[in-house]
Amino acid sequence: MPLNLTKIAFGAQSFADLESWYANRRSPNLTTRYRPTRWEECIGGSLFWIHQHNLVARSEILGFSETDGGSRWSIDLEPRLIPVYPQPKRAHQGWRYLKGEPPRDLAEGEEVGDVLPGALATKLQRLGLI
């Protein structure tokens, strides 16, 4: 089973901003200073985007490539953004491995309505209410 990564959607004011990052791009990528130590296990996994303290979307990881003479790495992503059922997740710097079960993809036409704020959703999840 491939590993998944998480990354905060820094600068995205809304989910539409995140979608615009993917619009009209044939090969979106994400540059990072360090390649994951378990990078080979991440190929075929997904990069999950964190927005407003929730995992909200994912893109499949196609591979990793060197940039700038090896000082930086590029995480090559599938040019499709797949919305997922929101799952509370704390913000962090850089990327992290996703621990636990990843959230399920939203079905075609499915909407989740208003998403709970991350702090409230986390408290309700700890209480076993969601």
Side-chain angles (χ1 to χ4, degrees), residues 8-127:
I8 192 163
F10 182 77
Q13 300 299 316
S14 66
F15 186 77
D17 283 350
L18 184 57
E19 288 178 312
S20 72
W21 295 352
Y22 281 77
N24 303 319
R25 293 183 72 185
R26 292 196 324 213
S27 58
N29 61 20
L30 174 69
T31 58
T32 181
R33 180 183 243 175
Y34 301 107
R35 179 182 69 182
T37 54
R38 299 171 66 186
W39 67 275
E40 292 171 317
E41 296 175 64
C42 294
I43 297 173
S46 293
L47 176 77
F48 285 85
W49 289 101
I50 301 169
H51 184 259
Q52 295 180 343
H53 300 283
N54 285 291
L55 297 174
V56 295
R58 70 178 182 89
S59 288
E60 185 177 339
I61 299 171
L62 301 176
F64 295 82
S65 55
E66 285 184 83
T67 61
D68 297 337
S71 64
R72 296 191 66 78
W73 289 88
S74 173
I75 302 174
D76 304 318
L77 302 171
E78 181 180 329
R80 186 170 66 117
L81 187 65
I82 302 166
V84 298
Y85 192 82
Q87 178 178 315
K89 183 72 174 159
R90 288 181 44 191
H92 53 73
Q93 287 187 321
W95 55 264
R96 297 285 185 271
Y97 294 112
L98 177 63
K99 295 178 179 150
E101 195 66 29
R104 68 174 176 84
D105 294 349
L106 291 179
E108 187 69 34
E110 182 180 14
E111 294 183 21
V112 295
D114 293 331
V115 178
L116 292 174
L120 177 60
T122 301
K123 288 178 183 178
L124 292 174
Q125 189 177 31
R126 285 185 183 149
L127 293 171

